[in-house]
Every structure is written in C-alpha cells, then in structure tokens.
Amino acid sequence: DIVLLRVLPSWFFVALMYRPMGLSDDPGHLATFAAILILANATASVVCMAVTCAMASARSANLVMSNVFIVLFMFGGFLLNKDTLPPLVRWLGHVSFVNYAFELLAINEFHGTPAMWTFTVPNTTEPGDKPLPPLTVDGDSVLRQFGMYPQRWTLDFWLLGAIVAACVLL
C-alpha cells in the first residue's frame, strides 16, 4: 500500500509539478521536497490505518478520520499562524503531522535563499492616491512571520518519523 499508493504518486507529482510551481532550481531542494512529500503522505496513510484498526466499523473510522483530519489541517500552520493561537488550543499544532510537514516544506523553499521578495500594495481608497512603497523581505523573514523556524528542521523530520513509527506499532 505505501509504495504503490503513497510513494509513486508523490514522485509523479514532484516530477510533473515541481518546476511549473516555480520552486527552487537546486536539485537538492527538489529531492528534499520529494522526500518531505513522501514522508507526509506516508504519515497520513499510517494515521488512517491506525485509526481504522482501532474502530469497530469502516463507517465509524471514516467519520472519526474526517474530523481528525479537519483538526490536523486547521492547526497545522497552513491555515493559521500557530504562534498566534491561544494557549488553550496551541497544543493541537504539536500533534498535527501537517504542522511538521508544512514547516519542512517552507524551510526547504525559503531558508537561506538569496532571493528577495518585493510586495507592492496599491492604495486605491481614493482617486489619485499614490501606492504604498514596496516592501522587500528575505526568505527567513517570511518564515519568521509565519512562525516557522529553520532550527526545527531536524526535529520536524524526527517527529514525522516518530508519528509513522508510533502508528505502525499500534
């Protein structure tokens, strides 16, 4: 199941879509992107398998996993900045494999890049208004703004692997 349904489709996705998405031209970044994607895909698969094994029926497993995945994605850092969450729910980001995979993908793309991104915001509230001056930021500033830190690179990989191992052992 893992190789045919998780690894191969991820490789095809990377081969077909990595360059058109405009991501880094470095082959190391491409290989890392593929590895992270495969690991995240395998993690999602084994989480589903573990929950399915614990449930009495496929119907209840589908219901539980739908709700679990909504929570995992909501608090995974993709939809919300996890540093701005109230302390009461901040722990949900730490149990979400999406959190670790998304942080790894963002660090892979933005950390240490020599590129600078310029954002322009038109100020069109009144006719004749001048646009605001452009804002230029580097990749590490983008990461910090979204609560992602390159120092957690190794930890994120280990935690994804630990989630896989824990679910397989269950």
Side-chain angles (χ1 to χ4, degrees):
D1 177 56
I2 295 293
V3 174
L4 287 176
L5 297 177
R6 309 295 171 235
V7 175
L8 290 177
S10 295
W11 274 113
F12 288 131
F13 174 79
V14 170
L16 293 173
M17 298 306 300
Y18 188 82
R19 297 283 183 221
M21 286 189 292
L23 299 176
S24 175
D25 290 334
D26 180 25
H29 282 255
L30 186 140
T32 304
F33 179 87
I36 295 166
L37 194 64
I38 289 168
L39 184 57
N41 205 346
T43 305
S45 176
V46 297
V47 166
C48 287
M49 288 179 196
V51 171
T52 301
C53 288
M55 302 308 290
S57 69
R59 192 178 327 172
S60 59
N62 277 335
L63 178 65
V64 169
M65 280 316 302
S66 297
N67 290 314
V68 166
F69 268 77
I70 287 171
V71 172
L72 292 178
F73 276 93
M74 187 180 336
F75 294 100
F78 182 70
L79 300 172
L80 298 169
N81 182 338
K82 55 189 182 252
D83 285 348
T84 62
L85 291 173
L88 183 64
V89 294
R90 190 171 295 159
W91 66 272
L92 288 168
H94 297 295
V95 298
S96 172
F97 72 90
V98 177
N99 171 28
Y100 305 118
F102 183 58
E103 185 168 47
L104 285 168
L105 289 170
I107 292 169
N108 182 53
E109 185 60 29
F110 289 107
H111 177 59
T113 58
M116 299 292 282
W117 287 271
T118 302
F119 300 98
T120 56
V121 180
N123 187 6
T124 59
T125 56
E126 298 291 328
D129 280 350
K130 295 180 182 174
L132 297 172
L135 173 66
T136 303
V137 296
D138 65 341
D140 289 321
S141 297
V142 172
L143 290 172
R144 277 190 305 276
Q145 183 64 35
F146 289 102
M148 298 177 191
Y149 303 97
Q151 306 88 305
R152 295 195 294 225
W153 172 265
T154 305
L155 177 65
D156 288 345
F157 259 115
W158 280 106
L159 288 171
L160 271 178
I163 292 169
V164 169
C167 289
V168 167
L169 290 175
L170 289 177

Short mmCIF file of all heavy atoms in Angstrom, two decimals, residues 30-54:
data_model
loop_
_atom_site.label_atom_id
_atom_site.label_comp_id
_atom_site.label_asym_id
_atom_site.label_seq_id
_atom_site.Cartn_x
_atom_site.Cartn_y
_atom_site.Cartn_z
N LEU A 30 14.83 20.01 -4.71
CA LEU A 30 13.82 19.14 -5.34
C LEU A 30 13.78 17.79 -4.65
O LEU A 30 12.70 17.28 -4.33
CB LEU A 30 14.14 18.97 -6.82
CG LEU A 30 13.10 18.20 -7.62
CD1 LEU A 30 12.92 18.83 -8.99
CD2 LEU A 30 13.49 16.76 -7.79
N ALA A 31 14.94 17.19 -4.38
CA ALA A 31 14.99 15.89 -3.72
C ALA A 31 14.43 15.98 -2.30
O ALA A 31 13.69 15.09 -1.85
CB ALA A 31 16.42 15.37 -3.69
N THR A 32 14.74 17.06 -1.60
CA THR A 32 14.22 17.25 -0.25
C THR A 32 12.72 17.43 -0.28
O THR A 32 11.99 16.88 0.56
CB THR A 32 14.90 18.46 0.42
OG1 THR A 32 16.31 18.27 0.39
CG2 THR A 32 14.44 18.63 1.84
N PHE A 33 12.22 18.20 -1.24
CA PHE A 33 10.78 18.39 -1.40
C PHE A 33 10.09 17.04 -1.60
O PHE A 33 9.07 16.75 -0.98
CB PHE A 33 10.52 19.32 -2.60
CG PHE A 33 9.08 19.58 -2.89
CD1 PHE A 33 8.41 20.61 -2.26
CD2 PHE A 33 8.38 18.82 -3.81
CE1 PHE A 33 7.08 20.88 -2.52
CE2 PHE A 33 7.05 19.07 -4.09
CZ PHE A 33 6.40 20.11 -3.44
N ALA A 34 10.67 16.21 -2.46
CA ALA A 34 10.09 14.89 -2.72
C ALA A 34 10.10 14.03 -1.46
O ALA A 34 9.11 13.36 -1.14
CB ALA A 34 10.86 14.20 -3.85
N ALA A 35 11.20 14.05 -0.73
CA ALA A 35 11.30 13.24 0.49
C ALA A 35 10.27 13.69 1.53
O ALA A 35 9.62 12.86 2.18
CB ALA A 35 12.71 13.33 1.07
N ILE A 36 10.12 14.99 1.70
CA ILE A 36 9.14 15.51 2.66
C ILE A 36 7.73 15.13 2.24
O ILE A 36 6.91 14.71 3.06
CB ILE A 36 9.27 17.04 2.80
CG1 ILE A 36 10.62 17.43 3.38
CG2 ILE A 36 8.14 17.62 3.65
CD1 ILE A 36 10.96 18.90 3.23
N LEU A 37 7.44 15.27 0.96
CA LEU A 37 6.11 14.94 0.46
C LEU A 37 5.79 13.46 0.66
O LEU A 37 4.68 13.11 1.09
CB LEU A 37 6.01 15.33 -1.01
CG LEU A 37 4.63 15.37 -1.62
CD1 LEU A 37 3.80 16.46 -0.95
CD2 LEU A 37 4.72 15.66 -3.11
N ILE A 38 6.75 12.60 0.38
CA ILE A 38 6.54 11.17 0.55
C ILE A 38 6.36 10.83 2.03
O ILE A 38 5.46 10.06 2.40
CB ILE A 38 7.72 10.37 -0.07
CG1 ILE A 38 7.65 10.47 -1.59
CG2 ILE A 38 7.71 8.92 0.39
CD1 ILE A 38 8.87 9.99 -2.30
N LEU A 39 7.17 11.44 2.90
CA LEU A 39 7.05 11.18 4.33
C LEU A 39 5.71 11.66 4.87
O LEU A 39 5.06 10.97 5.66
CB LEU A 39 8.21 11.84 5.08
CG LEU A 39 8.29 11.58 6.58
CD1 LEU A 39 8.37 10.09 6.89
CD2 LEU A 39 9.49 12.31 7.17
N ALA A 40 5.27 12.84 4.44
CA ALA A 40 3.97 13.36 4.89
C ALA A 40 2.83 12.48 4.38
O ALA A 40 1.87 12.20 5.12
CB ALA A 40 3.79 14.79 4.40
N ASN A 41 2.93 12.02 3.14
CA ASN A 41 1.91 11.15 2.57
C ASN A 41 1.86 9.81 3.31
O ASN A 41 0.78 9.30 3.63
CB ASN A 41 2.23 10.93 1.08
CG ASN A 41 1.02 10.57 0.27
OD1 ASN A 41 -0.01 10.23 0.80
ND2 ASN A 41 1.18 10.65 -1.03
N ALA A 42 3.02 9.25 3.62
CA ALA A 42 3.08 8.00 4.37
C ALA A 42 2.53 8.20 5.78
O ALA A 42 1.84 7.32 6.32
CB ALA A 42 4.51 7.48 4.42
N THR A 43 2.82 9.34 6.38
CA THR A 43 2.32 9.63 7.72
C THR A 43 0.80 9.68 7.72
O THR A 43 0.15 9.09 8.60
CB THR A 43 2.90 10.96 8.25
OG1 THR A 43 4.32 10.91 8.19
CG2 THR A 43 2.46 11.23 9.66
N ALA A 44 0.22 10.38 6.77
CA ALA A 44 -1.24 10.45 6.68
C ALA A 44 -1.83 9.05 6.51
O ALA A 44 -2.85 8.71 7.13
CB ALA A 44 -1.66 11.35 5.53
N SER A 45 -1.18 8.24 5.71
CA SER A 45 -1.67 6.90 5.45
C SER A 45 -1.64 6.04 6.71
O SER A 45 -2.63 5.36 7.03
CB SER A 45 -0.82 6.25 4.36
OG SER A 45 -1.21 4.93 4.14
N VAL A 46 -0.53 6.06 7.44
CA VAL A 46 -0.45 5.19 8.62
C VAL A 46 -1.33 5.71 9.76
O VAL A 46 -1.82 4.91 10.56
CB VAL A 46 1.00 4.96 9.09
CG1 VAL A 46 1.80 4.23 8.03
CG2 VAL A 46 1.68 6.22 9.52
N VAL A 47 -1.56 7.03 9.84
CA VAL A 47 -2.50 7.55 10.83
C VAL A 47 -3.90 7.01 10.52
O VAL A 47 -4.61 6.56 11.42
CB VAL A 47 -2.49 9.10 10.86
CG1 VAL A 47 -3.67 9.66 11.62
CG2 VAL A 47 -1.19 9.61 11.46
N CYS A 48 -4.28 7.04 9.26
CA CYS A 48 -5.59 6.50 8.87
C CYS A 48 -5.69 5.01 9.16
O CYS A 48 -6.71 4.52 9.66
CB CYS A 48 -5.84 6.74 7.39
SG CYS A 48 -6.21 8.45 6.99
N MET A 49 -4.63 4.27 8.86
CA MET A 49 -4.64 2.84 9.12
C MET A 49 -4.76 2.54 10.61
O MET A 49 -5.49 1.62 11.01
CB MET A 49 -3.38 2.20 8.55
CG MET A 49 -3.34 2.11 7.06
SD MET A 49 -1.78 1.36 6.55
CE MET A 49 -1.75 1.82 4.83
N ALA A 50 -4.03 3.29 11.43
CA ALA A 50 -4.07 3.06 12.88
C ALA A 50 -5.47 3.32 13.44
O ALA A 50 -5.98 2.54 14.24
CB ALA A 50 -3.04 3.95 13.58
N VAL A 51 -6.08 4.42 13.01
CA VAL A 51 -7.43 4.73 13.50
C VAL A 51 -8.42 3.70 12.98
O VAL A 51 -9.31 3.25 13.73
CB VAL A 51 -7.84 6.16 13.09
CG1 VAL A 51 -9.30 6.42 13.39
CG2 VAL A 51 -6.97 7.17 13.82
N THR A 52 -8.29 3.29 11.75
CA THR A 52 -9.20 2.29 11.19
C THR A 52 -9.10 0.97 11.95
O THR A 52 -10.12 0.32 12.21
CB THR A 52 -8.90 2.06 9.69
OG1 THR A 52 -9.05 3.31 9.01
CG2 THR A 52 -9.82 1.04 9.08
N CYS A 53 -7.89 0.57 12.32
CA CYS A 53 -7.72 -0.67 13.09
C CYS A 53 -8.36 -0.57 14.47
O CYS A 53 -8.79 -1.58 15.03
CB CYS A 53 -6.24 -0.99 13.23
SG CYS A 53 -5.48 -1.54 11.70
N ALA A 54 -8.42 0.63 15.01
CA ALA A 54 -8.98 0.81 16.36
C ALA A 54 -10.50 0.92 16.36
O ALA A 54 -11.11 0.83 17.43
CB ALA A 54 -8.37 2.06 16.99
#
